[in-house]
Each structure stands twice: as structure tokens, then as C-alpha cells.
Amino acid sequence: MRLLVTGGAGFIGSTFVARRLARSGDSITVLDKLTYAGLRANLAHLEADATLSPRLTFVHGDICDADLVARLVAEADAVVNFAAETHVDRSIAAADDFLRTGVLGLHVLLAAARDRKLRLVHVSTDEVYGSIEVGAASEDAALSPRSPYAAAKAAGDLLCHAFFVTHGVDVVVSRGANTYGPRQHPEKLVPLFITNAIDDAPLPLYGDGLQRRDWLFVDDHADAISMLLDRGTSGGVYNLPGNQERVNRDVALAILKATGKPTELLRSVADRPGHDRRYAMNGERIASLGWRPRMTFDQGLAQTVVWYETNRDWWLRARGPGWSDYYERQYARRLKESTPT
Ligand code: NAD
Ligand code: TYD
């Protein structure tokens, strides 16, 4: 197959590209805008591999660019869309780009998939269900997004459904759990806490730190997307749970233990507005296709810590030129007013 992978220079997208190239004969074109979160370096190891690089092409561009997308889709057999703005805290500060890419950009991809009659796998999130205080959301649960990020993702899911019903577009939607692993931007909880711990900097835990997330290792997430590309039912929605639920406080303590740093680094800071208490999903539908997450959180975290310890150059570069302004805005006041946890 010839795949167009949008957002393929990001965290999960680049992992998908690496694993798909290695395990299939597919050729892949990555279309990525290289926002602050997208890094050419995430594909460098593949471009340097003589057996894989002939099947990989990189195009720098925006999924909102309909002419460019039409040209690339015309040369593809299927599209996998990872492109999005992905950080909840940034969506609270300003949501414009979340909506532009998540709704208008996705619309461009859906229209191109309709015109060329291609399969589109759209990568979504468990956050569309909102906070699940008890039990677990199944795919037909109501969407109840509570952050601007989650609202943009839910709008995208609804658009996929509308294009399936109205235009018969062969679209499959995945809803993955909180994902972690190598090459995740250092703004997100797991890499932020690992890199801060490495630098002996405080770990800012929002609120009481008892919010719960279900953790999915990035390789498992990427492999589920591959399976949905090959075998997902047209018009289907699939939850991808990690089956590794942890409270944030325990995640932070595990990171301090794995990095050998003192618990005094953990600081309670002002909470995120609208902070979802818990995410949880039922994964029976994808289990019936034969997928289940393989990695335990303890093993996956140990691998991830080692990766960040040995790839300092990567995360210093990933922070990018805007990092100190972002960190100042997001954490300076919080840390000044923080208390021991
Ligand atoms: P990421 O932020 O690391 O990567 C996003 C990529 O999309 C970047 O390379 C960026 O440059 C690119 N991009 C953004 N806007 C674009 C545009 N308009 N045109 C082209 N490229 C654009 O994100 P990630 O963590 O790899 O997430 C990938 C997808 O998976 C997202 O859709 C996200 O909502 C979803 N998801 C993420 C998680 C998670 O925990 N990370 C969990 C479930 C679902
Ligand atoms: P995050 O990685 O932003 O993912 P999401 O909000 O999409 O679940 O955050 C994971 C959890 O960690 C979430 O409950 C918010 C919390 N968190 C902190 O306590 N401190 C932080 O500095 C960050 C970035 C997140």
C-alpha cells in the first residue's frame, strides 16, 4: 500500500511510521506542518536506514491546504491522520489552532478521501467522553468533552461520522488512552516529570494529584492503528484502552523512584481549570479483532525513563525556542505558590 500519514513527525505518528515501514512493504508519505510539536528528527533514524528510507517521503505542509492534500491523496491508497494540536493546557490558553487543524483540516482530509474513495483512519482520543467517574465508556457512550482540546477532537469524530453516513466515506476512528513512551514532547505529564527529575527541577502536580489516567504505551497504540487500517470496520469507532489505570501522584512517585530522585521534588500546584478526574474505556470491540495492549505501565515507564536519560539532546531540541516562555506562563506562578505534596 501507499500510505499518506498526516502528523507523522509527531510522537505517535512517527512511531506508527517506524513500525509500519519495518513490518510491511508499504511506502509512506508523511505530511506534517512541523508545529512546535513536530520534529524532523523523529524520522531521522528511518531516513538514515538504507532499507527503509527508499519507502519514506517527507512533505512539509498543512492538512488545511486542500490543493496539497488533493495532490498527495491522489498518489495514496489510504490515509492515516495523526495531525492535531494535542496539549490540553495550551488549548486552555488559546484554542484556535486546535479547531483549525482538528475540524477544518480534518474536513479537507475527509473531502479528499470521499473524492478518491480511500480509507481514512482518524486518530482520536478517550478525552471525547469527558470525565468518567465510575465504570468505563464504550464506543456508543455520549460524547461529553470538557476541555477545548477534547471538544475539537469530539467535533472531528462527529465530522467523520457525518461523512460516513452522508458520503459513504470509508472512515475508521480510534479513541486511544493517554499515551507515553519515547519521543513524546516534554510538555506532557510523563516526559515533563522525567526531564524535570533528571534536572533536579520540581515536578508540578496539579490539584490533589488524585486524577486517574489509563496509560497506553506508544508501540501498542501504533500497532492498534495499523490493525484498524487493515481490518477496522468501515464507519467503525474503536476504543484503545491501556488497561493500566494510575493516579497522577503514583505516576510522579514512580518517575522519582525510576530516576533515583527524592520525593521532595514533588510539588502541589494550582489545578488545571476544568480538569477531568478520570478517563476509562471498555476495549471489547478492538479485542474482538485480536488487539490488546501488551506493555505494563511499570515496564513501559522503565523503558521511557531510560530513553529520556540517554536522549537529552532530543528533548532539549524538542523544547524548542518557545519553551522558556511557555514554562514561565504555565508554571512560574504555580511553582511560586506551590506546597509540598
Ligand atoms: P504530537 O503533538 O506529538 O504530534 C502532532 C503532529 O501533528 C506534529 O508532528 C505536528 O507538527 C502535526 N500537525 C499539527 N497540526 C498540523 C497540520 N495542520 N497539518 C499537518 N500536520 C500538523 O501528538 P501525538 O501525541 O503524537 O498525537 C497524535 C494524535 O493522537 C493526535 O490526533 C492526538 O489527538 C491523538 N491522541 C494522542 C494521545 C496522547 O496521549 N498523546 C492519546 C490519544 C489520542
Ligand atoms: P497530560 O499529559 O497533559 O494529558 P491529558 O491532560 O491529556 O490527560 O496530563 C496528564 C495528567 O497529568 C492530567 O491529569 C494532568 C496532569 N498534569 C499535572 O499534574 N501536571 C502537569 O504539569 C501536567 C502537564 C499534567
Side-chain angles (χ1 to χ4, degrees):
M1 255 199 301
R2 297 166 306 165
L3 291 182
L4 175 62
V5 178
T6 52
F11 164 50
I12 308 172
S14 63
T15 305
F16 170 84
V17 170
R19 293 175 77 79
R20 186 84 191 185
L21 275 180
R23 290 163 175 214
S24 74
D26 291 353
S27 54
I28 296 183
T29 297
V30 169
L31 170 62
D32 199 295
K33 189 179 170 185
L34 299 179
T35 66
Y36 78 93
L39 277 182
R40 266 317 285 275
N42 287 345
L43 301 170
H45 60 301
L46 307 176
E47 288 168 332
D49 182 321
T51 60
L52 302 181
S53 62
R55 289 186 285 121
L56 177 62
T57 306
F58 180 79
V59 177
H60 184 196
D62 190 331
I63 62 165
C64 298
D65 181 342
D67 292 338
L68 175 61
V69 166
R71 188 163 61 72
L72 296 175
V73 166
E75 293 164 1
D77 301 310
V79 182
V80 183
N81 178 38
F82 293 92
E85 293 292 332
T86 58
H87 193 33
V88 170
D89 290 325
R90 292 188 196 255
S91 82
I92 293 167
D96 309 52
D97 285 345
F98 290 76
L99 294 164
R100 217 177 57 80
T101 296
V103 181
L104 300 179
L106 175 59
H107 175 249
V108 168
L109 297 178
L110 283 164
R114 174 196 61 201
D115 295 347
R116 305 296 301 195
K117 301 196 178 352
L118 298 186
R119 164 154 288 200
L120 168 65
V121 176
H122 174 62
V123 178
S124 187
T125 167
D126 60 356
E127 303 195 25
V128 298
Y129 297 119
S131 197
I132 307 291
E133 308 293 318
V134 286
S138 61
E139 288 83 352
D140 47 14
L143 302 190
S144 184
R146 289 160 33 92
S147 72
Y149 163 67
K153 295 299 291 186
D157 289 18
L158 294 177
L159 203 56
C160 288
H161 181 65
F163 268 66
F164 171 70
V165 171
T166 302
H167 298 299
V169 171
D170 179 9
V171 61
V172 181
V173 172
S174 68
R175 294 187 181 142
N178 274 70
T179 303
Y180 71 103
R183 297 189 182 81
Q184 184 170 31
H185 192 279
E187 69 192 353
K188 305 288 184 348
L189 175 76
V190 167
L192 179 76
F193 280 19
I194 293 173
T195 53
N196 279 12
I198 290 171
D199 280 351
D200 299 304
L203 276 49
L205 193 62
Y206 293 156
D208 62 8
L210 299 180
Q211 307 82 7
R212 307 178 83 88
R213 295 292 183 264
D214 173 29
W215 292 98
L216 175 62
F217 192 64
V218 65
D219 290 0
D220 283 330
H221 195 154
D223 293 349
I225 302 299
S226 247
M227 175 175 277
L228 292 180
L229 174 64
D230 296 332
R231 295 174 43 207
T233 301
S234 190
V237 175
Y238 292 85
N239 288 344
L240 311 177
N243 298 334
Q244 300 289 309
E245 192 173 321
R246 299 281 189 283
V247 295
N248 290 341
R249 195 169 185 281
D250 289 346
V251 171
L253 290 172
I255 288 170
L256 288 169
K257 192 166 176 210
T259 50
K261 296 299 167 88
T263 53
E264 287 70 34
L265 284 180
L266 200 52
R267 305 291 300 178
S268 290
V269 302
D271 208 350
R272 168 190 283 176
H275 196 167
D276 287 335
R277 209 62 195 161
R278 176 173 178 263
Y279 299 135
M281 286 181 293
N282 174 319
E284 279 169 27
R285 187 175 290 173
I286 184 117
S288 71
L289 290 183
W291 178 89
R292 63 180 173 78
R294 292 175 181 282
M295 189 67 91
T296 64
F297 186 68
D298 294 346
Q299 286 172 329
L301 186 67
Q303 279 190 28
T304 305
V305 166
V306 169
W307 191 87
Y308 281 89
E309 283 174 341
T310 48
N311 288 278
R312 188 183 181 85
D313 288 354
W314 180 91
W315 52 267
L316 289 179
R317 185 167 359 155
R319 282 178 173 177
W323 180 257
S324 55
D325 283 352
Y326 167 75
Y327 204 85
E328 171 81 16
R329 273 198 314 277
Q330 189 62 28
Y331 296 111
R333 179 160 179 197
R334 279 189 161 96
L335 284 168
K336 204 163 156 233
E337 295 169 356
S338 68
T339 55
T341 303

